[in-house]
Amino acid sequence: DAMVIQNPRYQVTQFGKPVTLSCSQTLNHNVMYWYQQKSSQAPKLLFHYYDKDFNNEADTPDNFQSRRPNTSFCFLDIRSPGLGDAAMYLCATSSRRVGNQPQHFGDGTRLSIL
Amino acid sequence: EDQVTQSPEALRLQEGESSSLNCSYTVSGLRGLFWYRQDPGKGPEFLFTLYSAGEEKEKERLKATLTKKESFLHITAPKPEDSATYLCAVHPGDTSGTYKYIFGTGTRLKVLA
């Protein structure tokens, strides 16, 4: 089945220690998104790619970076995680940047900071 | 400002007790409204897309409807396995090419056996 896969499902890191989360997709969608979701809150968009075109949200901290080496893969790098970065990180894809297509989500990576 | 508000925040139902979840939106145009189901510790799972006022979609015990200001997710004779958080998202009709999907905070549904 075509899907969005995130690894790892759970990640524990130390305060200030860099961490990388990964996302792969077999849907061949050209748009990929990274969201941060905290308990009982709406997903918060961090950035998205339209093909290789990177788009950062204005309020995304500089601590968060992303890479998309090819259509299938996308990475979220957190350079110096703080306690406030503990959250669920969701990767999503859609087939079009502008339009009425639903997003397809992975199961997320739960990030804990010690 | 584009906004999506869901109510109630939480809902407890007895098995078989039908009810509705509300998603009201204020956006500059609407390209699509989406309903998702999210189980604890998992990503949102797509349920429905609605495009225009008057449209309805159904899937098993769920039925989604859309007006110009809000959408309802009706749950008929729910079962415990319907327990989840239901998220609503809209894609604004801004012609600047916005990519944003604006999410509500969800309704946490608990169905008791």
Side-chain angles (χ1 to χ4, degrees):
Chain A
D1 284 345
M3 55 177 55
V4 180
I5 300 170
Q6 291 188 243
N7 284 301
R9 290 295 314 281
Y10 304 93
Q11 176 73 57
V12 181
T13 192
Q14 292 179 334
F15 182 93
K17 185 174 180 181
V19 65
T20 295
L21 311 182
S22 74
C23 177
S24 64
Q25 56 130 341
T26 59
L27 295 160
N28 204 33
H29 285 170
N30 55 1
V31 193
M32 294 187 78
Y33 307 80
W34 279 105
Y35 287 90
Q36 179 192 66
Q37 187 180 30
K38 296 188 176 181
S39 182
S40 300
Q41 294 184 18
K44 178 182 182 297
L45 182 64
L46 297 173
F47 19 62
H48 84 286
Y49 280 92
Y50 177 64
D51 291 327
K52 285 191 175 274
D53 180 22
F54 175 72
N55 296 268
N56 199 30
E57 290 301 291
D59 59 354
T60 298
D62 293 338
N63 200 23
F64 290 80
Q65 304 286 321
S66 184
R67 297 169 281 137
R68 188 179 186 186
N70 54 52
T71 300
S72 301
F73 286 88
C74 197
F75 299 96
L76 170 61
D77 301 307
I78 308 177
R79 292 190 297 186
S80 182
L83 296 178
D85 297 328
M88 173 76 89
Y89 289 88
L90 295 167
C91 174
T93 72
S94 70
S95 60
R96 292 176 60 194
R97 185 184 196 185
V98 177
N100 50 18
Q101 302 303 307
Q103 293 178 303
H104 299 262
F105 286 85
D107 276 339
T109 294
R110 170 73 63 188
L111 179 65
S112 299
I113 314 295
L114 300 180
Chain B
E1 181 186 349
D2 296 333
Q3 196 169 350
V4 175
T5 304
Q6 291 188 246
S7 62
E9 287 186 10
L11 182 62
R12 291 167 69 94
L13 299 173
Q14 292 293 324
E15 184 172 4
E17 180 187 1
S18 301
S19 188
S20 297
L21 314 182
N22 178 263
C23 171
S24 61
Y25 60 92
T26 307
V27 295
S28 50
L30 180 72
R31 289 185 184 270
L33 183 143
F34 309 91
W35 281 100
Y36 294 87
R37 169 190 171 128
Q38 186 173 24
D39 292 299
K42 295 212 164 184
E45 175 190 351
F46 170 67
L47 294 173
F48 303 110
T49 306
L50 299 167
Y51 297 114
S52 57
E55 190 174 0
E56 298 182 352
K57 294 272 180 75
E58 282 190 73
K59 179 181 179 181
E60 297 180 357
R61 295 177 292 281
L62 300 177
K63 179 180 177 180
T65 62
L66 181 66
T67 72
K68 288 187 177 180
K69 293 185 177 180
E70 59 191 349
S71 176
F72 291 94
L73 185 65
H74 306 278
I75 304 178
T76 302
K79 298 182 177 183
E81 54 262 40
D82 295 322
S83 298
T85 295
Y86 290 85
L87 291 169
C88 171
V90 300
H91 195 298
D94 187 307
T95 56
S96 68
T98 182
Y99 48 84
K100 288 192 178 184
Y101 295 76
I102 301 168
F103 281 85
T105 54
T107 294
R108 295 189 308 279
L109 174 66
K110 177 74 172 176
V111 181
L112 305 171

